[in-house]
Amino acid sequence: MGGSGGGFSYQSSSGYKNELDKIRKESYDEAFETSVNALINEKLGSANSRDVEKTREHLDTIKNAVQEDIEGVVELQYGGSVHKFTYVEGLSDVDVLLKINKSELSNKSPKEVLEYIKSRLETKLTNTEEIKIGKLAVTVKYKDGTEIQILPAIKRGENGFKIPSRNGKEWSNVIRPDKFASRLTEVNQNCGGKVVPVIKIVKYINSKLPPDQQLSGYHIESLAIEIYKSYPSEMSLTNKIMLRYFFEKASEKVKKPIKDKTNQSLHVDDYLYGENSSQRMLMSYILSRTYKRMKAADDMKSIEAWKDILGED
């Protein structure tokens, strides 16, 4: 009986030790996940530091300045990253669509419309450091550091608009700027509102690369839609897991063109040319390299490695 009792005690002790080791490992894994997510949230906090109220005040002033001397309807609407809530401080232009409907500007050339906007702003705005015309837009830089890029859009049909083409000499095809934003909103909501924060972090990581190795902001957003529209239900909705998933899947999806839902161009990523082009294969390699760095950081449970990926000092 004594020997049997001793055997039972040994087996119980061994089983208890294994269970304790399992609990310790799970606790350690959970602590690691929490720590990395905290790093990502901290980075998101700095990305969201833009003074929204100040920007809104500037936008209202711009609208009043341009609207005063024209007939018809002029409406300011975020057209780029701000409208889609994926703006990252210092990385994205504050693109604003100046939607013009039934006014004398509707038959003017893009250059004439841009010159009109600039002249009205120079007359009416104060506290500006610079107002300049680019090929496609007017950029207003305020003394407080706020920079707003105004892109004119001429109403065509019920829901369509035309914006200056890439060469700035004529108007584009009819585009539907709200279509893309609504699709991104849908995918974001289906993933618990976590897609937009991931896009912000992807843009931040992307910005640290040499210019010729960076994806465009619109391309990143389009990739996110393609990747997360079928995000596995069994996977976690934490920023860390979803960020790693983006780079894993994007390294393959970047090899093929993505159709432009706004109709502004044939594809959102024409700058990378056709399927499996050398430019696309380079981007695939860069995205895959980032994914492998994240996987290695997870395998080593290294917070320092994640800090390096996120650009932490």
Side-chain angles (χ1 to χ4, degrees):
M1 291 292 292
S4 175
F8 177 77
S9 174
Y10 172 77
Q11 291 172 5
S12 298
S13 175
S14 177
Y16 175 77
K17 183 179 183 299
N18 290 337
E19 187 65 25
L20 188 60
D21 288 343
K22 180 181 177 182
I23 293 172
R24 284 174 176 165
K25 183 179 185 302
E26 289 176 349
S27 297
Y28 181 75
D29 289 348
E30 184 177 349
F32 173 72
E33 294 289 320
T34 300
S35 297
V36 175
N37 275 305
L39 287 174
I40 295 174
N41 289 336
E42 182 180 343
K43 187 63 67 178
L44 279 170
S46 61
N48 290 330
S49 64
R50 186 172 59 96
D51 190 332
V52 176
E53 188 61 34
K54 183 183 296 181
T55 300
R56 173 57 61 189
E57 291 175 1
H58 289 319
L59 291 177
D60 289 341
T61 304
I62 289 172
K63 179 177 178 180
N64 292 334
V66 180
Q67 184 172 254
E68 185 174 319
D69 294 332
I70 65 173
E71 299 174 1
V73 178
V74 176
E75 179 185 348
L76 280 176
Q77 174 187 304
Y78 289 126
S81 297
V82 177
H83 180 51
K84 296 184 287 287
F85 302 104
T86 56
Y87 177 88
V88 179
E89 181 77 37
L91 307 180
S92 304
D93 291 325
V94 184
D95 292 327
V96 175
L97 286 182
L98 181 66
K99 297 163 69 175
I100 302 169
N101 182 27
K102 295 180 180 178
S103 77
E104 69 270 23
L105 292 180
S106 62
N107 294 319
K108 301 291 186 181
S109 69
K111 183 179 180 181
E112 289 173 318
V113 172
L114 291 172
E115 287 176 345
Y116 173 84
I117 294 170
K118 179 176 183 287
S119 68
R120 296 307 304 153
L121 296 180
E122 286 177 334
T123 301
K124 298 293 183 179
L125 297 186
T126 59
N127 298 320
T128 60
E129 184 174 307
E130 182 182 27
I131 302 176
K132 63 181 179 180
I133 294 179
K135 187 181 292 185
L136 308 179
V138 175
T139 300
V140 180
K141 186 173 183 179
Y142 287 86
K143 292 179 180 178
D144 62 17
T146 304
E147 192 166 313
I148 297 178
Q149 190 177 74
I150 304 165
L151 185 70
I154 301 295
K155 185 74 179 285
R156 289 290 185 270
E158 186 176 347
N159 298 310
F161 291 85
K162 288 190 173 185
I163 62 174
S165 61
R166 290 183 180 180
N167 62 21
K169 296 180 179 179
E170 61 262 343
W171 297 103
S172 70
N173 296 327
V174 176
I175 67 168
R176 289 171 174 79
D178 293 335
K179 189 174 181 181
F180 179 82
S182 62
R183 183 63 176 129
L184 177 56
T185 298
E186 179 186 352
V187 172
N188 186 51
Q189 290 175 343
N190 290 340
C191 291
K194 293 300 182 70
V195 173
V196 164
V198 170
I199 289 174
K200 291 181 179 182
I201 295 300
V202 172
K203 284 185 175 183
Y204 183 83
I205 293 173
N206 179 68
S207 75
K208 299 300 182 183
L209 297 170
D212 62 346
Q213 296 180 19
Q214 293 180 18
L215 297 172
S216 75
Y218 186 27
H219 193 184
I220 289 173
E221 292 160 4
S222 299
L223 281 168
I225 290 176
E226 294 301 309
I227 290 168
Y228 295 115
K229 69 183 182 182
S230 56
Y231 188 66
S233 57
E234 69 274 11
M235 290 192 67
S236 170
L237 289 173
T238 64
N239 289 330
K240 173 181 170 296
I241 297 299
M242 293 183 71
L243 182 63
R244 175 172 151 174
Y245 187 81
F246 175 92
F247 281 95
E248 178 185 9
K249 298 302 179 183
S251 64
E252 287 300 317
K253 290 193 177 292
V254 77
K255 295 177 182 178
K256 295 182 179 180
I258 300 175
K259 288 185 178 180
D260 189 347
K261 293 178 175 62
T262 69
N263 202 38
Q264 184 176 341
S265 59
L266 182 60
H267 298 106
V268 305
D269 48 3
D270 286 336
Y271 68 102
L272 295 181
Y273 302 98
E275 182 175 344
N276 292 325
S277 66
S278 59
Q279 292 87 348
R280 289 184 183 278
M281 299 310 292
L282 172 62
M283 294 301 181
S284 175
Y285 167 77
I286 293 167
L287 290 163
S288 177
R289 182 181 62 189
T290 302
Y291 163 69
K292 289 176 180 177
R293 290 178 64 199
M294 291 177 176
K295 185 177 183 301
D298 283 349
D299 290 343
M300 296 184 296
K301 298 292 185 293
S302 173
I303 293 175
E304 291 303 316
W306 267 100
K307 284 183 178 180
D308 186 53
I309 294 168
L310 295 171
E312 293 287 333
D313 295 329

mmCIF file of all heavy atoms in Angstrom, residues 30-55:
data_model
loop_
_atom_site.group_PDB
_atom_site.id
_atom_site.type_symbol
_atom_site.label_atom_id
_atom_site.label_comp_id
_atom_site.label_asym_id
_atom_site.label_seq_id
_atom_site.Cartn_x
_atom_site.Cartn_y
_atom_site.Cartn_z
ATOM 1 N N GLU A 30 -0.329 35.906 -22.308
ATOM 2 C CA GLU A 30 -1.343 36.950 -22.174
ATOM 3 C C GLU A 30 -0.697 38.288 -21.823
ATOM 4 O O GLU A 30 -1.076 39.335 -22.355
ATOM 5 C CB GLU A 30 -2.369 36.558 -21.108
ATOM 6 C CG GLU A 30 -3.512 37.558 -20.973
ATOM 7 C CD GLU A 30 -4.543 37.121 -19.962
ATOM 8 O OE1 GLU A 30 -4.495 35.960 -19.507
ATOM 9 O OE2 GLU A 30 -5.405 37.949 -19.614
ATOM 10 N N ALA A 31 0.289 38.249 -20.950
ATOM 11 C CA ALA A 31 0.995 39.478 -20.564
ATOM 12 C C ALA A 31 1.738 40.062 -21.757
ATOM 13 O O ALA A 31 1.770 41.284 -21.954
ATOM 14 C CB ALA A 31 1.960 39.189 -19.425
ATOM 15 N N PHE A 32 2.330 39.194 -22.563
ATOM 16 C CA PHE A 32 3.052 39.654 -23.764
ATOM 17 C C PHE A 32 2.094 40.305 -24.742
ATOM 18 O O PHE A 32 2.364 41.396 -25.265
ATOM 19 C CB PHE A 32 3.753 38.462 -24.424
ATOM 20 C CG PHE A 32 4.375 38.778 -25.751
ATOM 21 C CD1 PHE A 32 5.520 39.558 -25.833
ATOM 22 C CD2 PHE A 32 3.809 38.304 -26.929
ATOM 23 C CE1 PHE A 32 6.094 39.863 -27.058
ATOM 24 C CE2 PHE A 32 4.369 38.600 -28.154
ATOM 25 C CZ PHE A 32 5.521 39.378 -28.225
ATOM 26 N N GLU A 33 0.956 39.648 -25.005
ATOM 27 C CA GLU A 33 -0.045 40.200 -25.918
ATOM 28 C C GLU A 33 -0.533 41.561 -25.421
ATOM 29 O O GLU A 33 -0.674 42.515 -26.201
ATOM 30 C CB GLU A 33 -1.232 39.237 -26.052
ATOM 31 C CG GLU A 33 -0.906 37.908 -26.713
ATOM 32 C CD GLU A 33 -0.642 38.056 -28.202
ATOM 33 O OE1 GLU A 33 -1.355 38.828 -28.861
ATOM 34 O OE2 GLU A 33 0.296 37.404 -28.698
ATOM 35 N N THR A 34 -0.789 41.645 -24.131
ATOM 36 C CA THR A 34 -1.265 42.897 -23.543
ATOM 37 C C THR A 34 -0.238 44.004 -23.693
ATOM 38 O O THR A 34 -0.571 45.149 -24.023
ATOM 39 C CB THR A 34 -1.603 42.695 -22.054
ATOM 40 O OG1 THR A 34 -2.630 41.701 -21.936
ATOM 41 C CG2 THR A 34 -2.090 43.985 -21.419
ATOM 42 N N SER A 35 1.030 43.668 -23.469
ATOM 43 C CA SER A 35 2.101 44.665 -23.554
ATOM 44 C C SER A 35 2.270 45.191 -24.977
ATOM 45 O O SER A 35 2.428 46.400 -25.194
ATOM 46 C CB SER A 35 3.420 44.070 -23.063
ATOM 47 O OG SER A 35 3.342 43.714 -21.698
ATOM 48 N N VAL A 36 2.231 44.297 -25.966
ATOM 49 C CA VAL A 36 2.391 44.720 -27.356
ATOM 50 C C VAL A 36 1.196 45.552 -27.802
ATOM 51 O O VAL A 36 1.346 46.576 -28.482
ATOM 52 C CB VAL A 36 2.586 43.511 -28.289
ATOM 53 C CG1 VAL A 36 2.635 43.974 -29.752
ATOM 54 C CG2 VAL A 36 3.869 42.767 -27.938
ATOM 55 N N ASN A 37 -0.004 45.138 -27.414
ATOM 56 C CA ASN A 37 -1.193 45.926 -27.755
ATOM 57 C C ASN A 37 -1.139 47.311 -27.117
ATOM 58 O O ASN A 37 -1.604 48.297 -27.700
ATOM 59 C CB ASN A 37 -2.463 45.188 -27.335
ATOM 60 C CG ASN A 37 -2.932 44.203 -28.391
ATOM 61 O OD1 ASN A 37 -3.139 44.554 -29.550
ATOM 62 N ND2 ASN A 37 -3.096 42.952 -27.985
ATOM 63 N N ALA A 38 -0.563 47.384 -25.929
ATOM 64 C CA ALA A 38 -0.403 48.688 -25.267
ATOM 65 C C ALA A 38 0.550 49.574 -26.066
ATOM 66 O O ALA A 38 0.328 50.789 -26.201
ATOM 67 C CB ALA A 38 0.114 48.500 -23.847
ATOM 68 N N LEU A 39 1.621 48.987 -26.614
ATOM 69 C CA LEU A 39 2.548 49.735 -27.459
ATOM 70 C C LEU A 39 1.838 50.283 -28.696
ATOM 71 O O LEU A 39 2.029 51.436 -29.091
ATOM 72 C CB LEU A 39 3.703 48.836 -27.900
ATOM 73 C CG LEU A 39 4.756 48.459 -26.857
ATOM 74 C CD1 LEU A 39 5.729 47.457 -27.459
ATOM 75 C CD2 LEU A 39 5.496 49.691 -26.367
ATOM 76 N N ILE A 40 1.010 49.429 -29.314
ATOM 77 C CA ILE A 40 0.278 49.840 -30.520
ATOM 78 C C ILE A 40 -0.711 50.949 -30.183
ATOM 79 O O ILE A 40 -0.835 51.930 -30.917
ATOM 80 C CB ILE A 40 -0.444 48.632 -31.146
ATOM 81 C CG1 ILE A 40 0.586 47.613 -31.651
ATOM 82 C CG2 ILE A 40 -1.363 49.078 -32.277
ATOM 83 C CD1 ILE A 40 -0.016 46.315 -32.158
ATOM 84 N N ASN A 41 -1.407 50.803 -29.056
ATOM 85 C CA ASN A 41 -2.370 51.832 -28.641
ATOM 86 C C ASN A 41 -1.687 53.160 -28.357
ATOM 87 O O ASN A 41 -2.237 54.236 -28.632
ATOM 88 C CB ASN A 41 -3.139 51.359 -27.408
ATOM 89 C CG ASN A 41 -4.109 50.242 -27.724
ATOM 90 O OD1 ASN A 41 -4.550 50.095 -28.870
ATOM 91 N ND2 ASN A 41 -4.444 49.436 -26.728
ATOM 92 N N GLU A 42 -0.488 53.080 -27.809
ATOM 93 C CA GLU A 42 0.278 54.307 -27.551
ATOM 94 C C GLU A 42 0.630 55.000 -28.859
ATOM 95 O O GLU A 42 0.546 56.224 -28.977
ATOM 96 C CB GLU A 42 1.556 53.955 -26.781
ATOM 97 C CG GLU A 42 2.397 55.165 -26.411
ATOM 98 C CD GLU A 42 3.653 54.772 -25.645
ATOM 99 O OE1 GLU A 42 3.701 53.638 -25.125
ATOM 100 O OE2 GLU A 42 4.583 55.598 -25.589
ATOM 101 N N LYS A 43 1.020 54.207 -29.863
ATOM 102 C CA LYS A 43 1.330 54.764 -31.174
ATOM 103 C C LYS A 43 0.083 55.361 -31.812
ATOM 104 O O LYS A 43 0.138 56.424 -32.450
ATOM 105 C CB LYS A 43 1.912 53.671 -32.071
ATOM 106 C CG LYS A 43 2.433 54.174 -33.397
ATOM 107 C CD LYS A 43 3.586 55.128 -33.232
ATOM 108 C CE LYS A 43 4.817 54.445 -32.681
ATOM 109 N NZ LYS A 43 5.960 55.361 -32.551
ATOM 110 N N LEU A 44 -1.055 54.706 -31.635
ATOM 111 C CA LEU A 44 -2.321 55.231 -32.154
ATOM 112 C C LEU A 44 -2.676 56.554 -31.490
ATOM 113 O O LEU A 44 -3.208 57.459 -32.129
ATOM 114 C CB LEU A 44 -3.452 54.224 -31.920
ATOM 115 C CG LEU A 44 -3.551 53.078 -32.916
ATOM 116 C CD1 LEU A 44 -4.549 52.039 -32.424
ATOM 117 C CD2 LEU A 44 -3.955 53.578 -34.297
ATOM 118 N N GLY A 45 -2.375 56.660 -30.201
ATOM 119 C CA GLY A 45 -2.662 57.886 -29.477
ATOM 120 C C GLY A 45 -1.922 59.070 -30.058
ATOM 121 O O GLY A 45 -2.476 60.154 -30.230
ATOM 122 N N SER A 46 -0.655 58.863 -30.409
ATOM 123 C CA SER A 46 0.124 59.955 -30.999
ATOM 124 C C SER A 46 -0.338 60.249 -32.416
ATOM 125 O O SER A 46 -0.320 61.389 -32.866
ATOM 126 C CB SER A 46 1.612 59.607 -30.993
ATOM 127 O OG SER A 46 1.865 58.433 -31.761
ATOM 128 N N ALA A 47 -0.802 59.202 -33.138
ATOM 129 C CA ALA A 47 -1.300 59.399 -34.499
ATOM 130 C C ALA A 47 -2.591 60.195 -34.511
ATOM 131 O O ALA A 47 -2.906 60.878 -35.483
ATOM 132 C CB ALA A 47 -1.523 58.041 -35.173
ATOM 133 N N ASN A 48 -3.361 60.117 -33.420
ATOM 134 C CA ASN A 48 -4.643 60.797 -33.340
ATOM 135 C C ASN A 48 -4.561 62.157 -32.662
ATOM 136 O O ASN A 48 -5.573 62.694 -32.229
ATOM 137 C CB ASN A 48 -5.650 59.921 -32.577
ATOM 138 C CG ASN A 48 -6.045 58.695 -33.371
ATOM 139 O OD1 ASN A 48 -6.050 58.722 -34.584
ATOM 140 N ND2 ASN A 48 -6.377 57.627 -32.678
ATOM 141 N N SER A 49 -3.359 62.720 -32.587
ATOM 142 C CA SER A 49 -3.177 63.940 -31.816
ATOM 143 C C SER A 49 -3.639 65.197 -32.541
ATOM 144 O O SER A 49 -3.613 66.278 -31.976
ATOM 145 C CB SER A 49 -1.692 64.091 -31.449
ATOM 146 O OG SER A 49 -0.914 64.245 -32.621
ATOM 147 N N ARG A 50 -4.028 65.075 -33.801
ATOM 148 C CA ARG A 50 -4.433 66.253 -34.573
ATOM 149 C C ARG A 50 -5.601 66.967 -33.902
ATOM 150 O O ARG A 50 -6.528 66.351 -33.403
ATOM 151 C CB ARG A 50 -4.840 65.812 -35.983
ATOM 152 C CG ARG A 50 -5.137 66.951 -36.940
ATOM 153 C CD ARG A 50 -5.337 66.381 -38.331
ATOM 154 N NE ARG A 50 -6.430 65.435 -38.316
ATOM 155 C CZ ARG A 50 -7.682 65.744 -38.645
ATOM 156 N NH1 ARG A 50 -7.975 66.991 -38.963
ATOM 157 N NH2 ARG A 50 -8.615 64.833 -38.648
ATOM 158 N N ASP A 51 -5.572 68.290 -33.927
ATOM 159 C CA ASP A 51 -6.623 69.108 -33.327
ATOM 160 C C ASP A 51 -7.821 69.154 -34.275
ATOM 161 O O ASP A 51 -7.867 69.967 -35.204
ATOM 162 C CB ASP A 51 -6.096 70.521 -33.063
ATOM 163 C CG ASP A 51 -7.046 71.347 -32.214
ATOM 164 O OD1 ASP A 51 -8.263 71.086 -32.257
ATOM 165 O OD2 ASP A 51 -6.568 72.252 -31.502
ATOM 166 N N VAL A 52 -8.777 68.268 -34.065
ATOM 167 C CA VAL A 52 -9.930 68.147 -34.951
ATOM 168 C C VAL A 52 -10.771 69.415 -34.948
ATOM 169 O O VAL A 52 -11.239 69.884 -35.993
ATOM 170 C CB VAL A 52 -10.791 66.930 -34.551
ATOM 171 C CG1 VAL A 52 -12.055 66.858 -35.408
ATOM 172 C CG2 VAL A 52 -9.993 65.643 -34.677
ATOM 173 N N GLU A 53 -10.974 70.006 -33.774
ATOM 174 C CA GLU A 53 -11.806 71.194 -33.659
ATOM 175 C C GLU A 53 -11.182 72.364 -34.419
ATOM 176 O O GLU A 53 -11.886 73.116 -35.115
ATOM 177 C CB GLU A 53 -11.991 71.570 -32.186
ATOM 178 C CG GLU A 53 -13.002 72.698 -31.955
ATOM 179 C CD GLU A 53 -14.382 72.340 -32.447
ATOM 180 O OE1 GLU A 53 -14.772 71.164 -32.368
ATOM 181 O OE2 GLU A 53 -15.072 73.255 -32.934
ATOM 182 N N LYS A 54 -9.867 72.497 -34.316
ATOM 183 C CA LYS A 54 -9.172 73.577 -35.020
ATOM 184 C C LYS A 54 -9.301 73.401 -36.533
ATOM 185 O O LYS A 54 -9.547 74.361 -37.278
ATOM 186 C CB LYS A 54 -7.705 73.599 -34.607
ATOM 187 C CG LYS A 54 -6.899 74.743 -35.223
ATOM 188 C CD LYS A 54 -5.443 74.643 -34.829
ATOM 189 C CE LYS A 54 -5.256 74.822 -33.329
ATOM 190 N NZ LYS A 54 -3.828 74.758 -32.933
ATOM 191 N N THR A 55 -9.148 72.150 -36.995
ATOM 192 C CA THR A 55 -9.282 71.873 -38.419
ATOM 193 C C THR A 55 -10.685 72.182 -38.909
ATOM 194 O O THR A 55 -10.877 72.756 -39.982
ATOM 195 C CB THR A 55 -8.933 70.399 -38.712
ATOM 196 O OG1 THR A 55 -7.587 70.142 -38.302
ATOM 197 C CG2 THR A 55 -9.069 70.086 -40.192
#
